[in-house]
Amino acid sequence: MASRRRGIGVGAVQRNQQIQAKFAAKGEELASEQLQRLSQQLEIFTQRLEEFARKHRDEIRKNSQFRRHFQEMCTQVGVDPLASSKGFWAEKLGVGDFYYELAVQIIEVCLSTNHINGGLMSVDELRNRLMKSRSRTRKEAISQDDVIRAVKKLKDLGHGFKLIELKCGRYLVQSVPRELSKDDTQIWQLAEENNGYVTAELIQQKFSWDTIRTSSALEKIVKDGMAWVDNQTSDNMTYYWFPALFFEQFNQISSSDSISGSTSSANY
Amino acid sequence: MPFQWPWQYDFPPFFTIQPNLSSREKQLEAWARLIIDYCQFHNIHSLDLNEVAKSEIFNNTRINRSLNEAGIRTVFDYLEEKEHIEWTDKTKKRCRIYWRRPEEWGELLYEWASSNGLLNTVITLTDIIEGEDTANESFAGLEKPILIRAIESLQSQRRAVLVELNNEIGGVKFL
């Protein structure tokens, strides 16, 4: 028939347009329905998140294991809740605040002890001091992990902080820039195991270093102010004592009972 | 409550004058602080080096360490430099010790005078040291020579003037 052969004509085009327009309209309708549903879901999701945050905010502050778990989760997901204290997580969960405050306290502790320990302190000691200063305001526990994370943040922000790894997963916090060589760190560890001091003989005995290496290492730690010289020993050897280590021990003793006289006579 | 010894007192190398200069500076500062605090605690205003060398300040029997004569001399040179002691003999064996430097006393005195409306009036030194009005002040019982030194330091700043009474220095006028 003639009309079939005239399929493509103005009328057909118009009809096509109409159909397309109807599809488009339907599409938009569908899309907006979906969007609405999606935004409803998002709203519910957000509410749930906020509930979660509210419920666990206290736990985050009190429970260091929970904090660690949370941090590990974030790492897996690729989120850094400490990156900005204004981020959603930080805001809702108060995580950012917690570490921010901790970092500020760490800086305070280090500033007030640097003149004695030359800017070197074990994570243990730092944690003890933080706990002591916090117990006046609140009783939250701080874990070693918390301290290490906060120091790492400080390092990233360029505050001159550095973590030095000793053996057995222990760390030193360095808050004053200094050149700590491997030899320095080894001697430090040796002193830690030897009541806070070393001698040339002890170094050579434990590490088998030659005389030159030993004496230049000892010269360096004295020059750095890391170690003090003691010439009154009963065995006529020079002892090299570390004020930082001694001060740590001293604080631990004095926090429990009175100073000087509480420990038994020492034989040096 | 007994005297609180600082942590350095039990630190063996504290009794060896340190070869490293910055460590030595910290060491001398700590020694100075220890001596001043000890004297203040025991109300000591003057020292004789021969006697003090044998005292517990410089001999810690618990850790078996002593500061030797040269070390003690170094510490007292430091105290002199910081104006906390003044030698009273030529051989530098006896000295007065100022728990506070004369300037510090001067400031406290001036503050007391100005907050009590006593500027521009003559006050006797005895009243300052032994008066009822000053019984609770930090400078109550201060030794006269130290009081005079304190006022002299204010005098050099034109904030006070020593006044003679009966032909000897007996009063002060805070300006």
Side-chain angles (χ1 to χ4, degrees), chain A residues 203-220:
Chain A
I203 290 174
Q204 288 182 307
Q205 194 190 358
K206 292 272 174 170
F207 303 145
S208 305
W209 293 354
D210 64 37
T211 326
I212 297 187
R213 186 174 175 186
T214 307
S215 61
S216 46
L218 288 171
E219 224 180 271
K220 181 172 186 284

Side-chain angles (χ1 to χ4, degrees), chain A residues 261-267, chain B residues 62:
Chain A
S262 59
T263 48
S264 56
S265 251
N267 285 315
Chain B
R62 201 184 68 80

Side-chain angles (χ1 to χ4, degrees), chain A residues 238-256:
Chain A
T238 305
Y239 282 24
Y240 297 84
W241 295 84
F242 287 71
L245 290 172
F246 186 83
F247 190 58
E248 259 182 53
Q249 277 177 16
F250 180 83
N251 276 321
Q252 279 162 18
I253 296 171
S254 67
S255 58
S256 41

Side-chain angles (χ1 to χ4, degrees), chain A residues 107-118:
Chain A
I107 294 178
E108 278 171 5
V109 167
C110 290
L111 280 177
S112 65
T113 54
N114 279 350
H115 63 286
I116 295 169
N117 58 32

Side-chain angles (χ1 to χ4, degrees), chain A residues 52-104:
Chain A
F52 175 87
R54 247 195 318 268
K55 223 167 58 173
H56 293 277
R57 190 190 187 104
D58 277 339
E59 214 164 332
I60 294 242
R61 291 207 79 84
K62 288 193 216 146
N63 187 336
S64 57
Q65 259 184 349
F66 186 93
R67 272 200 298 276
R68 189 192 194 136
H69 198 64
F70 172 75
Q71 291 276 17
E72 284 168 5
M73 250 173 33
C74 290
T75 314
Q76 278 177 11
V77 174
V79 163
D80 181 2
L82 304 187
S84 157
S85 62
K86 293 202 176 140
F88 171 80
W89 289 112
E91 227 174 74
K92 295 297 171 187
L93 291 169
V95 172
D97 277 349
F98 177 87
Y99 286 100
Y100 177 78
E101 281 170 26
L102 187 57
V104 169

Side-chain angles (χ1 to χ4, degrees), chain B residues 3-16:
Chain B
F3 180 67
Q4 304 272 67
W5 297 94
W7 68 270
Q8 289 92 335
Y9 183 70
D10 284 326
F11 189 48
F14 190 53
F15 294 81
T16 303

